[in-house]
């Protein structure tokens, strides 16, 4: 058998077997979206008590992630990246200026959830991250962009307050179990398809780009007219 025939019979001897190809950016985004979007909607609802705002926050977070996908894909913890973006948006103070966002869409019936919503937003966030999701305190502090001592103070104050609200000051573990069960509840949220989120993000980016170019063109035209008028006088 000739050398050429041997190579055709055993192609792997010339080098490594051909790979199937790395997953595309779209595949990576869609997989992450499918894994965490519904749970993230549930978490932001626990933070805000507002269902429409929770959907809006998660959609915004994934729009932002797709616009910065190389950064998100290389992040050591993409889930934390998305969670931080969604929480930041959901707890932004500017929502207070929107009349439709001031009150929960529907009354919150769960006692633990009502006690959680009674906390200040930073304390609410620390309690949800640490006792609800079981995230280590130092990791939670990084997500909240605070020091570990500050996060510790928020968490301890939140635990004290919520235990008093739930009439269980002598059994903090029971309160933590209730928070964990509340966070771990199965979400029935129906979220948009990942592809539609990517498409709307790309359309928004194109619109923003066109708006910027239009504004620059208007500015340059105004400057040119002003220069012509000035030179004429």
């Amino acid at each position: 058998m000739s050398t050429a025939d041997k190579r055709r019979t055993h192609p792997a001897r010339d080098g490594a077997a051909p790979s199937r190809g790395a997953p595309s950016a779209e595949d990576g985004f869609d997989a992450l979206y499918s894994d965490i979007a519904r749970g993230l909607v549930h978490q932001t609802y626990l933070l805000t008590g507002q269902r429409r705002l929770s959907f809006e926050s998660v959609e915004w977070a994934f729009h932002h992630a797709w616009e910065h996908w190389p950064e998100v894909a290389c992040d050591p913890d993409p889930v934390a990246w998305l969670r931080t973006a969604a929480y930041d948006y959901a707890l932004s103070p500017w929502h207070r200026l929107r009349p439709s966002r001031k009150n929960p869409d529907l009354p919150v019936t769960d006692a633990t959830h009502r006690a959680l919503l009674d906390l200040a937003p930073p304390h609410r966030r620390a309690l949800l991250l640490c006792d609800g999701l079981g995230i280590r305190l130092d990791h939670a502090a990084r997500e909240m962009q605070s020091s570990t001592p500050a996060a510790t103070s928020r968490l301890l104050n939140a635990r004290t307050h919520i235990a008093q609200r739930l009439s269980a000051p002598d059994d903090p573990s029971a309160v933590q179990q209730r928070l964990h069960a509340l966070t771990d509840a199965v979400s029935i949220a129906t979220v948009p398809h990942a592809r539609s989120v990517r498409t709307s993000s790309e359309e928004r980016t194109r619109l923003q780009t066109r708006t910027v170019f239009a504004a620059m063109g208007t500015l340059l035209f105004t400057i040119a007219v002003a220069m012509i008028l000035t030179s004429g006088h």
Side-chain angles (χ1 to χ4, degrees):
M1 182 181 293
S2 66
T3 303
D5 292 337
K6 290 180 180 179
R7 288 180 177 176
R8 284 194 293 268
T9 306
H10 303 287
R13 293 181 181 177
D14 291 337
S19 63
R20 297 180 179 178
S24 65
E26 290 80 4
D27 292 338
F29 177 89
D30 293 357
L32 182 61
Y33 182 87
S34 299
D35 286 343
I36 71 170
R38 292 177 62 186
L40 205 51
V41 168
H42 179 63
Q43 293 167 33
T44 50
Y45 170 66
L46 294 179
L47 278 178
T48 63
Q50 302 178 44
R51 297 187 185 280
R52 286 174 291 185
L53 179 57
S54 66
F55 281 96
E56 181 181 320
S57 301
V58 173
E59 186 172 357
W60 182 90
F62 275 97
H63 281 172
H64 193 55
W66 184 238
E67 292 170 0
H68 301 83
W69 185 246
E71 173 190 344
V72 179
C74 295
D75 192 275
D77 192 351
V79 175
W81 197 102
L82 266 298
R83 183 169 56 235
T84 300
Y87 285 15
D88 285 347
Y89 185 93
L91 296 177
S92 176
W94 73 273
H95 292 305
R96 300 172 187 172
L97 303 177
R98 304 167 65 182
S100 61
R101 301 291 189 252
K102 288 184 178 180
N103 299 309
D105 299 342
L106 293 172
V108 174
T109 57
D110 185 89
T112 306
H113 192 187
R114 288 201 304 268
L116 180 66
L117 291 174
D118 192 47
L119 297 169
H123 296 73
R124 196 186 311 164
R125 186 171 186 170
L127 193 65
L128 180 65
L129 288 172
C130 295
D131 288 356
L133 297 176
I135 295 174
R136 282 175 42 182
L137 185 58
D138 54 338
H139 292 176
R142 284 199 295 269
E143 286 194 32
M144 294 185 292
Q145 298 180 349
S146 70
S147 65
T148 301
T152 302
S153 177
R154 294 173 186 174
L155 180 61
L156 293 177
N157 289 335
R159 284 174 175 171
T160 299
H161 177 84
I162 202 168
Q164 293 173 349
R165 281 289 308 272
L166 297 176
S167 302
D170 298 328
D171 191 5
S173 62
V175 176
Q176 293 178 26
Q177 290 174 5
R178 293 177 66 172
L179 283 167
H180 180 72
L182 184 67
T183 308
D184 201 40
V186 177
S187 175
I188 57 174
T190 301
V191 296
H193 194 274
R195 181 177 180 180
S196 66
V197 175
R198 285 191 283 105
T199 302
S200 60
S201 176
E202 292 165 359
E203 290 176 351
R204 186 178 68 171
T205 300
R206 286 193 292 268
L207 177 61
Q208 291 174 344
T209 302
R210 288 196 296 267
T211 302
V212 169
F213 277 110
M216 291 178 61
T218 302
L219 178 62
L220 292 174
F221 176 76
T222 303
I223 293 174
V225 171
M227 292 178 65
I228 294 172
L229 293 177
T230 302
S231 62
H233 286 292

